[in-house]
């Protein structure tokens, strides 16, 4: 089980990421440690794991990350020789399909600062060593105070090829598009069923679009308004 995670602060382009990380309970904390405690942006593989352990992050043995439902899903994917998203190939006997998968978050704070974070186990039945968009600043994660914060989920190779998170921000900054129009344009450029993204801009406008069947999402505003949606 290899995890990818990244986060970015829009105020000073601070960013941290880890890829092909193993045995660290919360990969996003490892990404945070890279941002806060090194001069680098991205660490990978066993060296990233060693770094996270040296930073005092909790470690877990491989079996701790395995659930019966996910194991069955992996077996099905391997039988079919397919690489699938975390909620594909689920059957009724398995755990709830999307409650343990990729997690993304975007936020605007009271001082007008934006931030984005993404954490994932990646695509199911991926090759060992494969790195997805969730570890890549500009592909799966991006934040800039003057434009927006974006976190993506879905078929990582498509999100990398289309430079999704950074492109949404560029369209806001350089083409003058509103957040919704920028997200719609980038999603329309992706192959169908690629996935979705969550985004918030510097004025607090939210956009949570996808080009696939469903994406668990939730939001909360300082005035108490909150909501959830799947389809
Ligand atoms: N984007 C992730 C990856 O390709 C997977 C996901 O979001 O479910 O690794």
């Amino acid at each position: 089980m290899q995890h990818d995670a990244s986060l970015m602060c829009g105020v000073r382009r601070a960013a941290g990421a880890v890829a092909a990380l193993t045995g660290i309970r919360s990969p996003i904390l490892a990404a945070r440690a890279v941002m806060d405690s090194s001069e680098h942006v991205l660490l990978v593989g066993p060296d990233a794991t060693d770094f996270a352990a040296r930073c005092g992050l909790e470690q877990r043995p491989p079996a701790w990350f395995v659930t019966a439902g996910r194991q069955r899903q992996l077996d099905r994917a391997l039988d079919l020789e397919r690489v699938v998203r975390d909620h594909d190939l689920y059957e009724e006997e398995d755990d709830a399909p999307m409650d343990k998968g990729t997690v993304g978050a975007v936020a605007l704070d009271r001082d007008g600062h934006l931030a984005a974070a993404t954490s994932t186990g990646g695509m199911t039945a991926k090759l060992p060593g494969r790195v997805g968009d969730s570890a890549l600043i500009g592909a799966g994660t991006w934040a800039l105070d003057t434009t927006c914060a974006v976190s993506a989920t879905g078929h990582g190779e498509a999100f990398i090829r289309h430079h999704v998170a950074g492109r949404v921000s560029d369209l806001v900054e350089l083409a003058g598009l509103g957040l919704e129009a920028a997200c719609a344009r980038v999603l329309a450029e992706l192959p169908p069923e690629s996935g979705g993204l969550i985004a918030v801009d510097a004025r607090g406008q939210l956009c949570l679009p996808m080009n696939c069947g469903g994406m668990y999402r939730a939001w909360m505003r300082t005035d108490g308004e909150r909501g959830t949606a799947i389809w």
Side-chain angles (χ1 to χ4, degrees), residues 2-4 19-21 83-85 120-135 154-160:
Q2 299 185 337
H3 298 108
D4 295 342
L21 188 77
V83 178
V84 300
R85 289 172 304 180
T120 188
M123 300 289 288
T124 302
K126 65 186 179 183
L127 284 178
R130 176 263 190 187
V131 174
D133 61 315
S134 308
H155 197 281
E157 279 69 13
F159 285 79
I160 295 169

Side-chain angles (χ1 to χ4, degrees), residues 168 178-189 197 207 209:
V168 169
L179 186 66
E180 219 173 299
C183 290
R185 168 137 170 216
V186 173
L187 269 192
E189 292 166 350
L197 58 87
C207 198

Side-chain angles (χ1 to χ4, degrees), residues 78-131:
L78 291 171
D79 281 350
L80 295 167
E81 296 185 7
R82 281 177 56 197
V83 178
V84 300
R85 289 172 304 180
D86 53 17
H87 52 280
D88 293 328
L89 297 184
Y90 259 87
E91 291 182 5
E92 264 180 31
E93 52 168 345
D94 299 337
D95 318 325
M98 280 148 78
D99 67 351
K100 293 184 186 66
T102 302
V103 179
V106 292
L108 170 68
D109 76 8
R110 74 177 89 176
D111 299 317
H113 299 315
L114 290 163
T118 315
S119 180
T120 188
M123 300 289 288
T124 302
K126 65 186 179 183
L127 284 178
R130 176 263 190 187
V131 174

